[in-house]
């Protein structure tokens, strides 16, 4: 499974966060969601995002998977990313 | 006055009059003529007269390649009514013929000329400006601008990675300028973090000049469209209509840019004390927007038959 950012979404990477703008509303993603966003936006498969996130947060895959799935679910719900 | 990158389209006298109407209803006392080279306009003298008749002061942005007739016109005007902001051809820029013509303009117009430099390279050398002011009796002011990137364009601009080097050179120059009694004015998009620690305070640069100056400056183009500024000219345009004043345009552009203001020129801006204190907005908006990423559009692959 892969996700990609929606067509009308723009973002930029800051020192410790990512700013995402969609439909004229901006939000700031802090660590570790910022790192997950970066991986998703690069087109990595979800399994790979989970694996890399586990390294980033220095935790096991179960924690990482929960974190990644929660983030993906929220972003899909907000229209920031789409499956496929 | 003339559409940028066009050799054909000049602003019509009717639109120029409509632009003067706009200045009057906006309570703006100065008409600023930009180009291209505004002095090349075929009706330049008449346009100057119509602005002065309304009691407006004139600020003319020029590269110095001014036709003789336009130069005669400018030389005939009182110093209090017109200023020329001369984009100086610096030594070594390879534009010696421009430089020679600029010297003729200095000789004729003296105090009416304010020297300006738009900095495109970190290797900028400002040494010659003080000598020019002294030699030709020019206005004791230097206006410094940064070449900003146009949104979606490919103009030559100063990359933000060079800002600190430019800040160091400008600070060095500013100390010498102060000693010579020459004031520094800043164009838009300068940021406090460019300058070596303490020099902003030492030189008396305000945050209104450096840090907070990235706002809609409002240009009327030769086709009657109003833009926020040249770098953002592709971002959003509004037609000049008789019921619209500068306040209306400013509000309109600021509303359109409200979300974009979230973005800043440097990654480090999010933890910057100047920004946290409201002393800096994060640099040129156009430059900031160039940091934005978006999904690359998918390119359909066509199978070979």
């Amino acid at each position: 499974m892969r996700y990609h950012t929606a067509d009308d979404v723009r973002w930029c990477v800051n020192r410790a966060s990512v700013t995402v703008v969609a439909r004229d509303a901006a939000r700031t993603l802090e660590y570790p969601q910022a790192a997950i966003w970066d991986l998703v936006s690069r087109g990595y498969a979800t399994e790979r995002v989970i694996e890399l996130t586990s390294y980033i947060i220095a935790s096991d895959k179960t924690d990482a998977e929960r974190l990644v799935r929660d983030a993906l679910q929220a972003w899909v719900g907000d229209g920031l990313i789409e499956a496929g | 006055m003339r559409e940028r990158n066009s050799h054909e389209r000049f602003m019509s006298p009717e639109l120029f009059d409509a632009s003067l109407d706009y200045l009057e209803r906006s309570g703006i006392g100065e008409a600023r003529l930009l180009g291209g080279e505004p002095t090349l306009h075929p009706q330049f003298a008449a346009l100057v007269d119509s602005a002065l008749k309304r009691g407006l002061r004139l600020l003319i942005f020029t590269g110095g390649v001014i036709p003789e007739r336009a130069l005669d016109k400018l030389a005939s005007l009182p110093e209090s009514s017109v200023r020329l902001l001369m984009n100086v051809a610096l030594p070594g820029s390879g534009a010696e013929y421009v430089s020679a013509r600029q010297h003729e303009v200095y000789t004729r117009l003296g105090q009416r000329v304010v020297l300006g430099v738009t900095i495109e390279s970190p290797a900028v050398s400002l040494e010659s400006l003080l000598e020019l002011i002294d030699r030709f009796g020019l206005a004791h002011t230097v206006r410094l601008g940064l070449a900003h990137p146009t949104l979606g364009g490919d103009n030559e601009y100063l990359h933000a990675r060079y800002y600190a080097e430019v800040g160091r050179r400008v600070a060095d120059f500013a100390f010498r300028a102060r000693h010579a009694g020459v004031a520094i004015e800043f164009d838009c998009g300068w940021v406090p973090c460019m300058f070596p620690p303490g020099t902003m305070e030492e030189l008396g640069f305000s945050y209104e000049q450096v840090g907070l100056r990235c706002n809609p400056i409002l240009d009327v183009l030769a086709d009657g469209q109003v833009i926020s500024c040249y770098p953002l000219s592709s971002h959003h345009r509004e037609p000049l209509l008789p019921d619209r004043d500068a306040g209306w345009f400013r509000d309109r552009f600021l509303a359109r840019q409200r979300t974009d203001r979230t973005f800043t020129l440097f990654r480090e801006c999010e933890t910057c004390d100047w920004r946290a204190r409201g002393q800096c907005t994060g640099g040129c908006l156009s430059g900031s927007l160039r940091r934005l990423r978006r999904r690359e559009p998918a390119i359909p692959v066509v199978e070979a038959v």
Side-chain angles (χ1 to χ4, degrees):
Chain A
M1 184 70 168
R2 282 175 206 272
Y3 292 85
H4 62 79
T5 56
D7 286 342
D8 61 346
V9 167
R10 301 169 297 157
W11 70 95
C12 78
V13 178
N14 305 313
R15 179 185 266 179
S17 69
V18 170
T19 305
V20 181
V21 168
R23 291 171 295 283
D24 283 339
R27 71 174 70 189
T28 301
L29 305 178
E30 308 282 355
Y31 171 89
Q33 280 78 14
I36 298 171
W37 179 272
D38 184 55
L39 297 170
V40 171
S41 69
R42 289 168 191 264
Y44 286 115
T46 302
E47 282 309 307
R48 180 73 173 143
V49 174
I50 291 167
E51 183 187 355
L52 292 171
T53 301
S54 74
Y55 302 143
I56 290 166
I57 64 173
S59 186
D60 60 31
K61 256 185 101 171
T62 311
D63 283 348
E65 180 163 6
R66 191 174 58 246
L67 199 63
V68 170
R69 301 245 179 247
D70 285 351
L72 293 176
Q73 190 181 359
W75 295 339
V76 168
D78 292 341
L80 302 181
I81 60 172
E82 296 163 355
Chain B
M1 297 285 286
R2 194 172 73 174
E3 190 77 2
R4 282 176 195 265
N5 304 320
S6 163
H7 298 288
E8 304 299 329
R9 299 188 60 197
F10 289 99
M11 181 179 278
S12 70
E14 295 75 22
L15 178 57
F16 188 76
D17 269 343
S19 303
L20 297 181
D21 292 343
Y22 153 78
L23 291 178
E24 282 189 340
R25 65 177 172 270
S26 303
I28 296 171
E30 185 175 74
R32 299 180 170 190
L33 312 186
L34 302 87
E37 173 57 57
T39 59
L40 294 178
H41 195 293
Q43 284 100 33
F44 177 74
L47 301 183
V48 164
D49 284 338
S50 64
L52 294 177
K53 256 183 222 157
R54 295 187 188 225
L56 294 164
R57 296 182 311 280
L58 279 170
L59 177 61
I60 297 166
F61 292 71
T62 178
V65 186
I66 302 176
E68 204 56 33
R69 210 164 48 172
L71 191 53
D72 290 342
K73 177 68 187 175
L74 293 168
S76 73
L77 301 174
E79 286 179 4
S80 58
S81 62
V82 64
R83 281 199 311 167
L84 262 77
L85 185 58
M86 177 72 77
N87 192 19
V88 180
L90 293 171
S93 64
E96 276 67 27
Y97 74 96
V98 176
S99 187
R101 181 58 177 161
Q102 288 185 344
H103 287 197
E104 292 170 27
V105 174
Y106 301 152
T107 303
R108 295 281 305 277
L109 300 183
Q111 276 284 339
R112 298 177 188 84
V113 178
V114 173
L115 299 184
V117 176
T118 302
I119 300 171
E120 294 176 352
S121 157
V124 64
S125 172
L126 303 169
E127 306 311 312
S128 59
L129 299 179
L130 299 179
E131 193 268 330
L132 287 173
I133 290 171
D134 188 46
R135 181 171 151 205
F136 292 100
L138 310 179
H140 272 51
T141 302
V142 168
R143 191 168 177 90
L144 298 177
L146 299 170
H148 297 299
T150 56
L151 196 60
D154 57 357
N155 64 318
E156 282 189 29
Y157 67 96
L158 181 74
H159 195 286
R161 75 169 72 98
Y162 300 124
Y163 274 26
E165 175 58 22
V166 168
R168 191 184 64 73
R169 288 173 183 242
V170 167
D172 283 351
F173 171 72
F175 281 113
R176 281 195 296 282
R178 185 168 67 176
H179 188 69
V182 172
I184 306 284
E185 289 181 359
F186 290 100
D187 215 331
C188 58
W190 292 77
V191 287
C193 60
M194 295 176 68
F195 295 101
T199 50
M200 280 243 334
E201 293 76 10
E202 221 175 318
L203 287 162
F205 297 161
S206 70
Y207 294 110
E208 283 70 32
Q209 290 178 296
V210 174
L212 299 176
R213 188 171 289 172
C214 178
N215 302 297
I217 54 172
L218 306 177
D219 285 344
V220 182
L221 302 180
D223 63 359
Q225 296 288 310
V226 179
I227 56 172
S228 179
C229 62
Y230 173 59
L232 289 174
S233 56
S234 66
H235 189 256
H236 182 57
R237 297 174 176 213
E238 292 283 351
L240 181 66
L241 297 176
D243 60 336
R244 294 177 176 179
D245 64 6
W248 186 92
F249 285 110
R250 249 181 235 116
D251 289 348
R252 186 77 166 181
F253 287 122
L254 286 174
R256 283 293 301 252
Q257 295 163 7
R258 187 178 53 81
T259 309
D260 292 334
R261 284 277 160 198
T262 313
F263 301 112
T264 53
L265 196 57
F266 299 104
R267 296 161 66 107
E268 292 76 13
C269 291
E270 71 166 351
T271 51
C272 166
D273 287 341
W274 282 297
R275 189 157 178 261
R277 290 193 294 260
Q279 295 166 332
C280 182
T281 52
C284 169
L285 180 58
S286 184
S288 303
L289 292 177
R290 284 174 70 108
R291 281 215 303 130
L292 282 187
R293 302 178 190 179
R294 63 166 69 227
R295 183 184 176 219
E296 294 300 322
I299 301 170
V301 177
V302 180
E303 297 287 335
V305 181

